[in-house]
Amino acid sequence: MRPSLPPLDLHAHVETTIPARDLERLGAVVFAATRSLKEFESTQRRRDAVTVWGVGCHPGLASAQEEFDRKRFSSLIRTTPFVSEVGLDRRSKVPMLTQEKTFRVILQELTQSPRIASIHNSGACHLVLELLEEVPIKGVVLHWWRGTPAQTDRAVALGCWFSINAAGMKYTADVARIPRDRILTETDHPSGDRSAPAPRQPGAVADVETALARVYGTPSADVRRQVWRNFKTLAEEVDVVELLSPPIRRMIAVA
């Protein structure tokens, strides 16, 4: 019998002061997004076994955009396999030109140091795809994707992956358009799981797995196994396996 694998949450927001043992009690592998370089820096002394902290610069946060520094970002990505939360947000009060400038720099850095990159695209799917075509990178995960069918096909052709949360499963026809070997699970806690059953917490993706099982006509257990296989392929594609913790590497080995 193959060993069971825990839930995989590829995008959640977690307070950086939460003790590592409390995160381990979630029983899941959680990729935690940060909103600014400063917030990510506050995680540098943490020693989390199953939580991966992403270096981010949220497009909706003016202070993060104003304080973004290319050299600082370049240095920080050496310490993590994960970049998040970055991208574009049409609803943000930050000028779109500022967002685009920051995002373009981030993409340019990722051409040199590929990472798993969870990309925010709220109301800006077309612009995100344009920039990804202008500065192509590996490891793109479109988080909480709401693109049109044509945009989804375009993203698939670009080699993108898609992380799906409970809110996204309201649009089953759109999700069904995504190849199952490009699917990953996320909560985007505490926003993307507002409609999820209790307990609402990072790593709680069982409801998403069940919904995906209905879409793809397969058992929920097979969905989790598929997500882990997809994650293994993604991590190997961007060559970040060695940047993951030993426990997560062991999970990848049996996926």
Side-chain angles (χ1 to χ4, degrees), residues 113-135:
S113 301
R115 295 292 185 268
I116 297 169
S118 182
I119 293 179
H120 185 107
N121 53 82
S122 181
C125 297
H126 176 70
L127 283 173
V128 165
L129 292 177
E130 282 195 340
L131 278 171
L132 291 174
E133 288 177 334
E134 177 187 329
V135 189

Side-chain angles (χ1 to χ4, degrees), residues 186-205:
E186 67 164 54
T187 59
D188 194 24
H189 181 80
S191 299
D193 60 351
R194 287 175 181 166
S195 62
R200 287 198 311 113
Q201 61 188 27
V205 295

Side-chain angles (χ1 to χ4, degrees), residues 26-164:
L26 295 172
V29 173
V30 176
F31 282 70
T34 61
R35 297 174 176 85
S36 68
L37 303 188
K38 183 178 180 180
E39 185 179 5
F40 176 75
E41 285 171 335
S42 73
T43 71
Q44 290 291 275
R45 294 189 177 184
R46 295 184 62 101
R47 294 294 179 266
D48 294 276
V50 290
T51 302
V52 181
W53 296 91
V55 55
C57 181
H58 199 295
L61 191 60
S63 60
Q65 293 283 318
E66 291 166 1
E67 296 168 4
F68 180 80
D69 178 81
R70 183 172 192 156
K71 289 184 178 179
R72 195 169 156 204
F73 175 77
S74 179
S75 176
L76 291 173
I77 60 175
R78 297 173 193 167
T79 68
T80 178
F82 186 46
V83 169
S84 182
E85 177 150 3
V86 299
L88 303 176
D89 191 328
R90 180 68 75 181
R91 300 171 182 83
S92 172
K93 293 182 180 180
V94 177
M96 188 56 69
L97 285 177
T98 299
Q99 294 184 47
E100 288 184 30
K101 180 181 177 181
T102 302
F103 187 39
R104 185 178 284 106
V105 167
I106 288 170
L107 293 177
Q108 290 167 348
E109 288 297 320
L110 291 174
T111 64
Q112 302 301 313
S113 301
R115 295 292 185 268
I116 297 169
S118 182
I119 293 179
H120 185 107
N121 53 82
S122 181
C125 297
H126 176 70
L127 283 173
V128 165
L129 292 177
E130 282 195 340
L131 278 171
L132 291 174
E133 288 177 334
E134 177 187 329
V135 189
I137 64 169
K138 296 179 180 179
V140 171
V141 181
L142 297 170
H143 122 79
W144 202 337
W145 176 250
R146 290 294 301 122
T148 65
Q151 289 170 338
T152 298
D153 292 346
R154 186 177 169 193
V156 170
L158 284 169
C160 298
W161 306 73
F162 304 79
S163 54
I164 310 298

